[in-house]
Structure formats: C-alpha cells, structure tokens
C-alpha cells in the first residue's frame, strides 16, 4: 500500500533516479534494481509483522472507546469511521502529464491521539486550521483522503483509498492506523513544546475535518 501511494504521488521519482544514475560511468542498473527490490521486501516484511501485532490493539481500542459504525480494513490493519461525506462536487483528483496524481492542498482541523492511551499528541489550535500538501503527509492520511479509484484515460485506476469518493470539503473522518502507515519503527519527536512525542511502533488515532481542498 505504501509503495502504491508513493508511486501515484511521485511517479517520476524512480525514473529520475535511474536517468540521473545512468549519467555515471559503469552504472549497474540491474544491481541497483535488485537492491531496491530487496529493501522493499524487507520493509514489507516489517510492515506485515507490525500490522499483525497492532491490529488486535486497534480493535480493543475501538471496543474500549465504544466507537460505532467502524469499518475495518484487515489487509492494512486499520479502522475508520466516516463521520461526514462532505460536498462531493468540491474537488476531483486529476493526473499530470506524466501520469502521476496531482496532490492537492488540504486545509484541515485535526486531533491526533496515541493508541491505546488516548493521549493527544498534536491538534490544531481552537479556531485555527492547518494547510498540508497530500504528497507530504503520512500514508494513513493519503489512504484516508484518496478515493478507491480515479478515472484516467477512460479507465478506473485503483489508488488504495478507503471510500468511493474520497474526502472532500466538509468531510470528516476518524482513522485508527497501525504504525507502518504513520511513523513506523522510528516514531516522531514533538515539533513544539506543546506537542507530545510519538513513540516508535505506535498506532495512532486521527480525527480529520476537511475545511477545504484544492490544487495550488
């Protein structure tokens, strides 16, 4: 999943690396490709292990907090509640000339909590919003925002999104994700004195309200 989303938003990344590398003398593309595939295999194995470890924790968290109408995505080990669908006509995803999805800017209000403690580690201030480009957010947010598929050249291209329409202006979602789709095995230090650090291998609980979504 993480690889798929990265490919969609950054379709030129590997190609750029390849062509840049080809300018070097005696570049062994086959060896480089094998190395990348092995790195991905190792990361996929780690991700699968973390999902298996953390999915039961997420299910217990949902039960302990008595959350209703929760949907589970077993393959990703996450849970979500779609709290408001929003205005479906407010935004449509498109592709650039290279076939990569154009990542919009999303203006949001959000709360992030640690699982299973429920401790708030970060949130937008009362009456304020945050604007983020979707190419620069964690995978869990990309999964939440994207629709299940996007039409391209007359074909529906699967994106790995949660809902059929994706998040639009006025949408609200709660997503409880295992660490592979958040901050992985490294965690994250708080960005300000008011933020709580995210421990390594920590599942997270986000509530995201979309105030606006548009291209730059």
């Amino acid at each position: 999943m993480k690889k798929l989303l990265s490919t969609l938003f950054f379709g030129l990344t590997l190609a750029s690396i390849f062509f840049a590398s080809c300018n070097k003398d005696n570049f062994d593309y086959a060896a480089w490709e094998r190395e990348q595939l092995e790195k991905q295999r190792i990361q996929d194995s780690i991700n699968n292990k973390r999902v298996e470890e953390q999915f039961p924790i997420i299910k217990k968290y949902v039960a302990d907090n008595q959350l209703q109408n929760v949907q589970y995505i077993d393959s990703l080990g996450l849970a979500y509640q779609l709290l408001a669908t929003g205005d479906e006509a407010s935004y449509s995803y498109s592709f650039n000339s290279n076939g990569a999805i154009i990542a919009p800017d999303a203006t949001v209000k959000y709360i992030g909590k640690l699982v299973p403690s429920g401790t708030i580690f970060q949130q937008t201030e009362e009456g304020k919003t945050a604007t983020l480009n979707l190419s620069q957010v964690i995978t869990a947010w990309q999964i939440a925002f994207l629709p299940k598929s996007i039409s391209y050249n007359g074909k529906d291209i699967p994106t790995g999104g949660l809902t059929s329409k994706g998040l639009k202006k006025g949408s609200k979602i709660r997503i409880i994700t295992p660490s592979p789709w958040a901050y992985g095995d490294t965690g994250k230090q708080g960005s300000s004195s008011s933020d709580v650090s995210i421990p390594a291998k920590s599942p997270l609980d986000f509530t995201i309200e979309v105030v606006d979504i548009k291209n730059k």
Side-chain angles (χ1 to χ4, degrees):
M1 176 60 67
K2 188 171 186 178
K3 184 178 179 182
L4 170 62
L5 290 166
S6 297
T7 301
L8 289 168
F9 278 127
F10 307 108
L12 290 181
T13 302
L14 289 180
S16 298
I17 293 172
F18 170 56
F19 287 121
S21 300
C22 282
N23 291 327
K24 299 178 180 179
D25 293 335
N26 302 319
F27 176 73
D28 188 341
Y29 175 72
W32 174 84
E33 185 178 41
R34 288 195 298 272
E35 180 183 356
Q36 302 309 307
L37 289 172
E38 178 61 13
K39 286 180 179 179
Q40 186 62 52
R41 184 193 68 78
I42 293 171
Q43 188 59 59
D44 287 346
S45 178
I46 293 170
N47 290 347
N48 290 337
K49 181 179 180 181
R50 298 291 176 257
V51 166
E52 290 177 3
E53 293 169 344
Q54 296 172 20
F55 201 20
I57 296 171
I58 288 171
K59 288 182 175 179
K60 185 176 186 302
Y61 179 81
V62 168
D64 289 348
N65 287 275
Q66 300 181 355
L67 304 183
Q68 303 298 314
N69 300 317
V70 171
Q71 302 293 317
Y72 291 100
I73 307 297
D74 292 0
S75 60
L76 298 175
L78 61 78
Y80 75 94
Q81 291 174 296
L82 185 61
L83 303 173
T85 57
D87 179 4
E88 293 184 1
S90 63
Y91 185 78
S92 295
Y93 284 91
S94 57
F95 292 79
N96 64 21
S97 59
N98 299 300
I101 295 173
I102 297 172
D105 287 338
T107 300
V108 299
K109 297 178 182 179
Y110 71 92
I111 299 174
K113 299 178 180 180
L114 303 178
V115 174
S117 69
T119 301
I120 295 174
F121 64 83
Q122 193 176 56
Q123 62 182 322
T124 47
E125 296 180 26
E126 183 69 28
K128 294 186 178 181
T129 61
T131 299
L132 309 163
N133 187 268
L134 291 190
S135 67
Q136 299 171 341
V137 299
I138 61 173
T139 303
W141 278 49
Q142 293 182 348
I143 293 170
F145 268 87
L146 284 167
K148 289 182 178 179
S149 65
I150 299 174
S151 180
Y152 179 63
N153 286 342
K155 296 182 179 180
D156 288 336
I157 307 299
T159 66
L162 295 178
T163 60
S164 60
K165 303 296 183 181
L167 301 187
K168 306 297 178 70
K169 183 177 181 178
S171 295
K172 188 173 182 180
I173 196 169
R174 186 170 185 174
I175 180 170
I176 306 163
T177 179
S179 62
W181 323 129
Y183 296 100
D185 284 6
T186 57
K188 183 177 183 290
Q189 293 297 314
S191 57
S192 70
S193 59
S194 61
D195 292 341
V196 175
S197 294
I198 300 170
K201 307 175 188 177
S202 178
L204 300 177
D205 172 9
F206 290 99
T207 299
I208 307 166
E209 180 181 352
V210 184
V211 177
D212 199 9
I213 182 169
K214 59 186 178 182
N215 292 330
K216 292 182 179 179

